[in-house]
């Protein structure tokens, strides 16, 4: 049978093969979003912050390459406290010492320096230490009188005794040389006395001066007034 005979029926009408119907076109919608590409995040509209997706319990996000993930700690776990370094107070406790906002009261002047300068007599030079001691006590005592009170009284007493010691020492040394030249003008003297009487008195006075200075330092350091009634009152109250 030829192809022409197969395409016609017995009456001669052409027969066409059955063609499936064409499905209707879907209704028109908005622009179809492109299929998401793995690893690509579409740009967000201005003013819109992307909310992170909630993580499931027990899930930790992967760490970036080259970084070690932080260790996970169970709920209710407190890390151990590092002990404080020696010399530093622990956090949360007050430091030892004076309370905040308070300072030790300043010690008022007591006139100790004028008496302490009397120890210059111990300078190992004959007669130099005695003169330096008397002069230093007089100068320091005269300048420290402005403090008033116990300091002013101790300064005045030290200045008066320093000037008294300086005057008596000068008189004794001059007397020693006067006696020396007067008794040895005609013939040399063979003994220490009577020429050495002023020198002996001078050394005894120097020892008494050291004792008096120490007593004055002790009284002044305890806040008391050292009085020397036999000193010449060059400076009066």
């Amino acid at each position: 049978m030829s192809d022409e005979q197969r395409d016609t029926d017995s009456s001669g009408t052409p027969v066409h093969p059955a063609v499936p119907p064409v499905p209707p076109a879907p209704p028109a919608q908005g622009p179809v979003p492109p299929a998401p590409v793995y690893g690509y995040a579409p740009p967000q509209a201005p003013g819109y912050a992307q909310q992170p997706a909630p993580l499931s319990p027990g899930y930790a996000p992967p760490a970036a390459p080259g970084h070690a993930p932080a260790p996970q700690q169970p709920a209710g776990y407190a890390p151990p406290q590092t002990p404080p370094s020696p010399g530093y107070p622990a956090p949360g406790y007050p430091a030892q010492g004076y309370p905040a906002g308070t300072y030790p009261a300043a010690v008022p002047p007591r006139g100790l320096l004028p008496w302490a300068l009397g120890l210059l007599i111990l300078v190992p030079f004959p007669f130099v230490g005695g003169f330096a001691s008397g002069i230093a006590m007089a100068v320091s005592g005269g300048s420290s009188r402005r403090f008033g009170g116990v300091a002013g009284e101790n300064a005045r007493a030290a200045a008066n005794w320093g000037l008294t010691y300086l005057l008596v020492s000068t008189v004794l040394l001059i007397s020693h040389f006067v006696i020396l030249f007067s008794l040895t003008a005609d013939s040399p003297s063979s003994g220490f006395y009577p020429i050495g009487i002023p020198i002996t008195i001078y050394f005894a006075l120097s020892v008494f001066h050291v004792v008096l200075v120490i007593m004055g330092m002790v009284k002044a350091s305890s806040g008391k007034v050292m009085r020397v009634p036999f000193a010449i009152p060059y400076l009066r109250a």
Side-chain angles (χ1 to χ4, degrees):
M1 182 180 294
S2 62
D3 294 337
E4 183 179 357
Q5 292 177 351
R6 284 196 306 266
D7 294 338
T8 59
D9 56 5
S10 59
S11 60
T13 305
V15 178
H16 301 280
V19 179
V22 178
Q29 296 181 355
V32 178
V37 181
Y38 178 76
Y40 170 76
Q44 301 294 331
Y48 174 76
Q50 183 179 4
Q51 299 295 331
L55 301 178
S56 59
Y59 171 77
H67 295 274
Q72 299 293 328
Q73 298 178 355
Y77 172 77
Q81 300 293 332
T82 303
S85 302
Y88 294 90
Y93 294 91
Q96 299 295 331
Y98 297 101
T102 61
Y103 299 93
V107 179
R110 294 163 294 184
L112 178 63
L113 180 60
W115 284 110
L117 290 176
L119 295 179
L120 289 176
I121 194 175
L122 301 178
V123 173
F125 291 99
F127 310 112
V128 175
F131 284 100
S133 173
I135 294 173
M137 290 180 68
V139 173
S140 177
S143 62
S144 300
R145 291 182 63 196
R146 67 180 185 275
F147 294 116
V150 176
E153 290 296 324
N154 281 321
R156 184 178 63 86
N160 286 338
W161 171 247
L163 291 174
T164 301
Y165 173 76
L166 184 62
L167 175 63
V168 176
S169 300
T170 304
V171 171
L172 289 174
L173 292 178
I174 293 176
S175 300
H176 168 72
F177 288 106
V178 169
I179 295 174
L180 175 64
F181 288 118
S182 62
L183 295 181
T184 59
D186 298 332
S187 61
S189 177
S190 59
F192 181 73
Y193 293 104
I195 300 175
I197 293 177
I199 295 298
T200 304
I201 298 176
Y202 170 78
F203 281 108
L205 180 64
S206 298
V207 173
F208 179 74
H209 171 75
V210 173
V211 174
L212 200 64
V213 165
I214 294 176
M215 292 176 58
M217 292 174 58
V218 171
K219 284 197 172 184
S221 61
S222 60
K224 300 179 181 179
V225 178
M226 175 64 182
R227 303 186 186 278
V228 186
F230 44 82
I232 302 174
Y234 293 98
L235 304 178
R236 299 184 182 273

